Amino acid sequence: MADTQRHPFLQGLSKHRGAPPTVVVIFGASGDLTARKLIPAVYNLGHDNLLPAEFHLVGYGRKAIPDAEFRTLAAAAIREFSRRELDAAVWDRIAANTTYVAGGYDERAAFDRLAAHIAAIEKKTGREVQVLFYISTPPSVFAPILDNLGASGLAAKHLGRPHHAKVIIEKPFGRDLDSARQLNATISAVFEEHQVYRIDHYLGKETVQDLLVQRFANAIFEPLWNRNYIDSVQITVAEEVGVGSRGGYYEQSGCLRDMIQNHTMQLVALTAMEPPVSLDAEAIRDEKVKLLRAIQPLATGPGGDVARAQYAAGLSAGKAVKGYLEEEGIAADSGTETYVALRLSINNWRWQGVPFYLRSGKRMARRVSEIAVNFKRPPGTLFADGDRFNLAGNTLSFQIQPDEGLSLILNAKIPGLETRTQPVKMSFRYATTFGSNTPEAYERLLLDAMIGDGTLFIRGDEAETSWKLCTPILEAWAADGREGMDSYPAGSWGPANADALLAKRHHVWRQP
Ligand code: BG6
């Protein structure tokens, strides 16, 4: 397809973004993520001609599944979950090179079989291919998989050469600081850091990447981006869904581990970090780590910086829904939080004194993720008369999802013969400017890993720094049991204890 006929998101892409011949091996091939995200991502990359000419997909899992059945399952996953309809011509090309290897994750001999399978593919292609291992299993088997990739020699395949092996590791990356350190140690015993791609799918979202562009490609923001002009920042990652059928997983996780430690902290880092010296992966990740290190430890006691809650029964999208404690697989006296709000202080030159408020929860009023930057008010001498002048603070909000875009609240004169004001909103919407059907996060991330660009992945020290902040909160909660756990009706904007976090500074949560 000629470049000019391509979707704006794809224009000019091919020149810089060619991946070498690749075998993608998915561990956990019959899992939920594989069906919902990974297979559709491969398919859509194929549809956009972004897969290398020599591309092979190998599913690996405990269940014995014949190749043909794996292909049928994959096609069904595309039909159900892909952003595009299945186009038989595109899928047939991928399916012709799609195979399956059955084996245990701690079964050393099975990894030798996998190595032989990959060697046979390589032999058939007649050239060196890179292998990209995608670990999309429950975390309990991360370590055996990594060990076996090491022992079988697969991790070191073509190491020192351009097409060396790589590994993508799905979340959760540990469940506290100790386990994250342990996982990093297991990884680094087998892989070199440049081979490792720790995923946080929020970094693959278009709007999250756009944060860097908005901040650093526009001269108007940088001079204002500091404690002199910014009053506070609110980051919301709200979901309308409850825990659904994932109760078993969620009970062991909770909102802090599931959403805050990774996705929300990444949004904080990108919003607040210093300009990197270049767009290189290391330059950007260095700045993110520096920022995360500047966040002060959070006070967990009453009146502190942290609020947690569980959703109670309520109305979601007009339907009566159960409370968390009544959901399937949840203990009646569960101490797992479905909502977290934090007040962060960033102790550096740029941000000292500017509170960063974070909140995330399930079963909230609606699905919305946004970053709202609230500016200070101008001196009140001219427009102080509250009867005539309805003034709002200027807020720049990055709408991460849905309805992706950017908006700025300004104050404007109401047309008429006297001077009255009202806040107005200036907006940019992705869908209006660029059209819809943008690539999914997993497409971008899979392509980046194939190409060897780690910018949108988490470095080991980054994961640990974020855990360093979150672990003391988890420890305090574990010691407190249910003490301090608030609740909020499903379909609401969250609990009262989260409002109290803001009240200290006379702030209130935005209604996104
Ligand atoms: C995942 C969490 O990482 O992110 C889920 O495990 C959550 O609990 C999901 O629902 C949200 O992702 P998105 O892209 O829908 O905002």
Side-chain angles (χ1 to χ4, degrees):
M1 214 189 298
D3 246 5
T4 46
Q5 293 173 304
R6 302 176 96 178
H7 190 280
F9 287 97
L10 299 173
Q11 280 177 22
L13 200 62
S14 44
K15 200 164 65 197
H16 303 290
R17 311 213 26 102
T22 302
V23 180
V24 170
V25 178
I26 301 179
F27 293 106
S30 53
D32 200 46
L33 187 80
T34 304
R36 280 175 187 275
K37 299 290 180 189
L38 306 186
I39 302 276
V42 167
Y43 169 76
N44 281 299
L45 288 173
H47 191 285
D48 290 332
N49 285 322
L50 293 171
L51 292 178
E54 270 305 338
F55 177 81
H56 294 258
L57 180 64
V58 179
Y60 184 105
R62 280 182 283 224
K63 230 195 255 170
I65 304 176
D67 287 348
E69 191 184 328
F70 184 58
R71 290 182 202 125
T72 307
L73 289 171
I78 295 164
R79 283 198 193 89
E80 188 171 355
F81 299 116
S82 163
R83 67 188 166 93
R84 288 195 181 101
E85 300 276 300
L86 187 139
D87 173 336
V90 173
W91 171 239
D92 287 351
R93 270 203 313 274
I94 300 170
N97 286 343
T98 296
T99 50
Y100 184 88
V101 174
Y105 296 120
D106 52 4
E107 192 190 335
R108 177 69 182 77
F111 280 71
D112 290 339
R113 285 205 305 279
L114 177 64
H117 187 81
I118 293 167
I121 292 174
E122 198 161 39
K123 191 158 171 223
K124 213 168 76 189
T125 66
R127 48 198 295 206
E128 222 168 68
V129 293
Q130 75 166 348
V131 190
L132 174 60
F133 298 104
Y134 198 122
I135 305 184
S136 168
T137 61
S140 55
V141 292
F142 285 2
I145 292 173
L146 288 160
D147 290 346
N148 277 323
L149 287 175
S152 60
L154 280 168
K157 196 172 172 75
H158 304 316
L159 197 58
R161 304 173 63 78
H163 300 169
H164 57 73
K166 303 183 169 106
V167 65
I168 298 183
I169 299 172
E170 256 302 331
K171 67 173 284 241
F173 196 86
R175 39 182 297 109
D176 53 21
L177 181 57
D178 277 352
S179 52
R181 278 186 176 144
Q182 217 165 31
L183 183 51
N184 271 334
T186 308
I187 293 168
S188 59
V190 174
F191 286 98
E192 295 177 6
E193 179 66 26
H194 68 95
Q195 296 176 278
V196 182
Y197 295 78
R198 295 171 192 78
I199 233 167
D200 182 320
H201 78 279
Y202 267 57
L203 294 181
K205 292 184 190 275
E206 279 297 332
T207 33
V208 175
Q209 295 160 50
D210 189 43
L211 257 176
L212 281 188
V213 179
Q214 293 296 342
R215 280 195 59 195
F216 302 125
N218 295 307
I220 56 170
F221 296 134
E222 177 55 22
L224 306 179
W225 217 252
N226 58 55
R227 68 196 149 88
N228 296 325
Y229 296 96
I230 292 178
D231 175 65
S232 63
V233 177
Q234 285 191 18
I235 300 183
T236 301
V237 182
E239 295 189 274
E240 195 172 320
V241 293
V243 291
S245 57
R246 295 169 77 219
Y249 154 77
Y250 201 82
E251 263 295 78
Q252 301 306 315
S253 168
C255 181
L256 191 78
R257 289 189 174 99
D258 191 47
M259 299 296 283
I260 299 275
Q261 183 275 336
N262 37 55
H263 310 324
T264 319
M265 283 299 178
Q266 284 299 316
L267 298 183
V268 175
L270 290 170
T271 307
M273 71 182 196
E274 293 301 311
V277 290
S278 74
L279 286 178
D280 285 354
E282 294 320 315
I284 292 176
R285 300 195 291 190
D286 284 348
E287 292 306 334
K288 286 200 290 172
V289 173
K290 216 168 85 191
L291 187 281
L292 292 172
R293 284 200 185 122
I295 300 174
Q296 297 305 286
L298 289 102
T300 50
D305 304 315
V306 178
R308 62 174 168 151
Q310 292 171 332
Y311 61 81
L315 280 180
S316 180
K319 274 198 354 219
V321 293
K322 290 180 191 167
Y324 180 66
L325 298 178
E326 290 94 55
E327 297 270 23
E328 192 190 319
I330 308 300
D333 59 350
S334 167
T336 301
E337 78 291 350
T338 63
Y339 175 100
V340 174
L342 303 178
R343 180 178 52 216
L344 303 184
S345 310
I346 302 175
N347 197 12
N348 66 12
W349 196 270
R350 188 185 286 268
W351 294 116
Q352 199 187 51
V354 181
F356 276 64
Y357 301 115
L358 276 51
R359 63 178 160 169
S360 181
K362 298 237 182 248
R363 279 278 186 248
M364 293 184 64
R366 66 185 182 88
R367 175 177 183 249
V368 58
S369 297
E370 68 153 34
I371 300 165
V373 179
N374 299 314
F375 289 88
K376 290 189 171 165
R377 305 228 173 192
T381 48
L382 295 181
F383 300 103
D385 176 358
D387 288 339
R388 289 166 61 206
F389 305 122
N390 169 15
L391 294 177
N394 300 125
T395 297
L396 178 66
S397 70
F398 298 89
Q399 185 91 14
I400 306 294
Q401 64 187 23
D403 197 15
E404 291 80 355
L406 183 72
S407 68
L408 178 63
I409 294 176
L410 302 163
N411 294 299
K413 179 180 175 301
I414 303 171
L417 298 182
E418 61 173 347
T419 302
R420 289 177 173 274
T421 67
Q422 96 176 29
V424 294
K425 197 162 154 185
M426 214 164 76
S427 301
F428 147 68
R429 291 277 161 263
Y430 272 75
T432 316
T433 306
F434 297 119
S436 47
N437 212 11
T438 62
E440 279 232 10
Y442 277 92
E443 296 170 38
R444 169 71 194 252
L445 296 173
L446 204 52
L447 181 64
D448 278 7
M450 283 196 277
I451 291 165
D453 183 348
T455 311
L456 301 179
F457 294 85
I458 312 289
R459 210 166 57 189
D461 54 344
E462 211 175 331
E464 288 185 18
T465 311
S466 181
W467 275 121
K468 215 177 261 178
L469 273 169
C470 293
T471 302
I473 305 174
L474 292 167
E475 287 169 353
W477 287 346
D480 292 351
R482 286 183 50 85
E483 203 184 307
M485 176 79 77
D486 204 346
S487 79
Y488 57 103
S492 71
W493 278 112
N497 62 359
D499 296 342
L501 278 187
L502 275 68
K504 235 183 181 174
R505 296 278 295 263
H506 307 291
H507 289 139
V508 289
W509 289 110
R510 261 167 63 83
Q511 194 95 340

